[in-house]
Amino acid sequence: GAGVSQSPSNKVTEKGKDVELRCDPISGHTALYWYRQSLGQGLEFLIYFQGNSAPDKSGLPSDRFSAERTGGSVSTLTIQRTQQEDSAVYLCASSSTTQAQVGQYFGAGTRLSVL
Amino acid sequence: AQSVAQPEDQVNVAEGNPLTVKCTYSVSGNPYLFWYVQYPNRGLQFLLKYITGDNLVKGSYGFEAEFNKSQTSFHLKKPSALVSDSALYFCAVSFTGGGNKLTFGTGTQLKVEL
């Protein structure tokens, strides 16, 4: 597709369940980022991937959060044992390099609601 | 650590009037500054960026922003606002060596009224 694709667009889950969020970046983009947008916290960086390098996980809020990027393309963000405070919009972005001056292209996000 | 401040949660302006959305930043080294816009239930859309060169940068939909190094500011402006400009605006910063991670401000809700 032409843009960053995320699925599902909405996810409702019960507290304690695991969830997986998917991101399909723009074809050819080597860098992929996950951010979280929540009320009162704004937009927070979670993790990013660049090629075959080890991902930068410095923004992950707890060890319940993990992410993978298979084959340098699609990425999955997994949240284990979800808590109500995990409710947020999870945004994925991609860019052609990790040079700081390159803009990032964002998907529409996955809205996660933990009941 | 880098940070971005958007001091106004909301800005109201009449259609046809000029608008300004404020942003200040703090970063070690040379900053790279961005503005994104978010419409309801949609992802962030890139508006413009400052990397180097002219302090006044022009972007999409008639928006522009002025980089002021001494005031560490990057305010977003438009000479004549439209109702369709009503949205949530985010300022963001990255820097060399930061791996292109973006640090965002808390966002400013722009409301343009007839």
Side-chain angles (χ1 to χ4, degrees), chain A residues 31 33 35 37 41-45 48 56 58 91 95 97-109 111, chain B residues 32 34 36 38 41-46 49-51 88 90 94-106:
Chain A
Y33 308 79
Y35 294 87
Q37 184 178 18
Q41 297 293 327
L43 271 157
E44 306 169 84
F45 164 78
Y48 89 84
D56 179 342
S58 60
L91 293 168
S95 67
T97 76
T98 55
Q99 293 177 24
Q101 61 265 42
V102 175
Q104 297 177 20
Y105 296 84
F106 284 79
R111 182 176 298 277
Chain B
Y32 303 113
F34 302 81
Y36 285 85
Q38 186 177 37
N41 299 316
R42 298 182 67 177
L44 275 68
Q45 296 179 33
F46 171 80
K49 65 181 179 182
Y50 171 81
I51 303 303
L88 185 59
F90 288 96
S94 64
F95 61 99
T96 303
N100 207 18
K101 290 184 290 187
L102 289 173
T103 298
F104 286 88
T106 51

Side-chain angles (χ1 to χ4, degrees), chain A:
Chain A
V4 177
S5 178
Q6 292 187 245
S7 61
S9 56
N10 286 282
K11 176 70 176 179
V12 180
T13 191
E14 295 178 349
K15 178 181 174 182
K17 300 284 189 181
D18 297 352
V19 295
E20 288 188 350
L21 313 180
R22 176 188 167 104
C23 173
D24 199 345
I26 292 173
S27 178
H29 277 192
T30 56
L32 185 147
Y33 308 79
W34 284 98
Y35 294 87
R36 179 170 70 173
Q37 184 178 18
S38 51
L39 288 176
Q41 297 293 327
L43 271 157
E44 306 169 84
F45 164 78
L46 296 177
I47 185 171
Y48 89 84
F49 299 87
Q50 166 58 18
N52 295 322
S53 301
D56 179 342
K57 305 179 181 180
S58 60
L60 294 178
S62 78
D63 58 8
R64 296 186 295 105
F65 288 72
S66 63
E68 291 184 340
R69 189 179 186 193
T70 54
S73 182
V74 172
S75 176
T76 302
L77 177 69
T78 301
I79 309 173
Q80 295 177 311
R81 305 181 302 281
T82 53
Q83 304 294 312
Q84 288 183 334
E85 60 262 28
D86 299 334
S87 296
V89 177
Y90 290 82
L91 293 168
C92 177
S94 69
S95 67
S96 57
T97 76
T98 55
Q99 293 177 24
Q101 61 265 42
V102 175
Q104 297 177 20
Y105 296 84
F106 284 79
T110 293
R111 182 176 298 277
L112 176 65
S113 300
V114 182
L115 305 179

Side-chain angles (χ1 to χ4, degrees), chain B residues 19-21 35 47-48 63-65 74-78 89:
Chain B
L19 69 86
T20 299
V21 182
W35 276 101
L47 272 182
L48 52 79
F63 284 93
E64 58 190 28
F74 190 57
H75 302 330
L76 181 70
K77 300 182 180 184
K78 188 174 182 181
Y89 290 80

